[in-house]
Amino acid sequence: MNNPIKQKLINGEQTLGAFIGIYSPSIVEMLGYAGFEFIVIDDEHGTFNHSELENMIRAAECVGMVPFVRVSYDSSSIQKALDRGAKGIHVPMVNTKEDAEQIIRKAKFPPVGQRGAAFSTRAARFGKETGEKYLNDSDRDTLIVVHIETQEAVDNFEDIMSVEGIDVAFLGPTDLSVNLGFPNEGANHPEIQRIANDLYQKGKNMGIPIGTIAPNADVARNEFNKGANYIGVVATAVISNSFSKVVGDVRETNLSK
């Protein structure tokens, strides 16, 4: 297995990473040096062209982080992320078993799926890896994470996660709270908390790792304690909050004199 995060999840271990939606290989390196184990490069909400996406993946590799991509809604987004060297994908708004099956078709090579094969890509070391071994290793190593972000997805959770090849159910509390009519309370709304706890239990019963996002360390610790295996901290939220804290601390100390 050439994907340590996927192996940790298979082993039932917990893993901590970060989401980032701005182009900055330097920040990716900082995250790796800080000890984050994986990076999710956010191509759903982020501002990346194809070359920038590849450079972010390359930066993660330089510091020993496993690079994943949250893909966009473009039909070729999964193919392009994997060909550039991503070790897995996050797919937003997966609502049905059919959605999950379509992801497998796009992410896996024949005969399992219908991903287009090319041995000239960065993922294949520009032709150094070829043939059946490369295809099988890629299918084995690729982590596939589906986002549960609507009531429809919650209702279809067991069907979605029964699709062979889907590795992680990722709870998206922001989209879920907006879609259920709680945009102000967000993840803190009791109904969102109830759904999350229910899905944690269902995931445990099915032997499915559950992931979610966290804006800070306190939330991450709490979600790990509730049963999450895979948590991504929002890098820009951490950075922005740190800036605000510095300004607040300085003003409180100096301007109160």
Side-chain angles (χ1 to χ4, degrees), residues 50-63:
H50 297 318
S51 295
E52 290 171 343
L53 197 66
E54 184 172 303
N55 284 335
M56 295 285 277
I57 292 169
R58 186 176 287 114
E61 293 170 344
C62 286
V63 290

Side-chain angles (χ1 to χ4, degrees), residues 184-255:
N184 294 328
E185 302 93 332
N188 295 321
H189 191 281
E191 179 63 9
I192 303 302
Q193 290 292 310
R194 184 196 67 76
I195 289 172
N197 291 335
D198 183 52
L199 294 184
Y200 278 132
Q201 187 59 52
K202 287 182 178 180
K204 182 178 180 180
N205 293 343
M206 296 178 69
I208 297 293
I210 302 292
T212 193
I213 203 161
N216 55 54
D218 289 339
V219 173
R221 280 193 294 265
N222 184 55
E223 296 304 315
F224 274 138
N225 290 335
K226 286 166 61 177
N229 303 85
Y230 176 94
I231 292 180
V233 174
V234 184
T236 47
V238 173
I239 293 169
S240 180
N241 291 338
S242 296
F243 288 158
S244 297
K245 185 177 187 305
V246 169
V247 172
D249 289 349
V250 170
R251 285 178 173 168
E252 181 180 0
T253 302
N254 289 54
L255 301 184

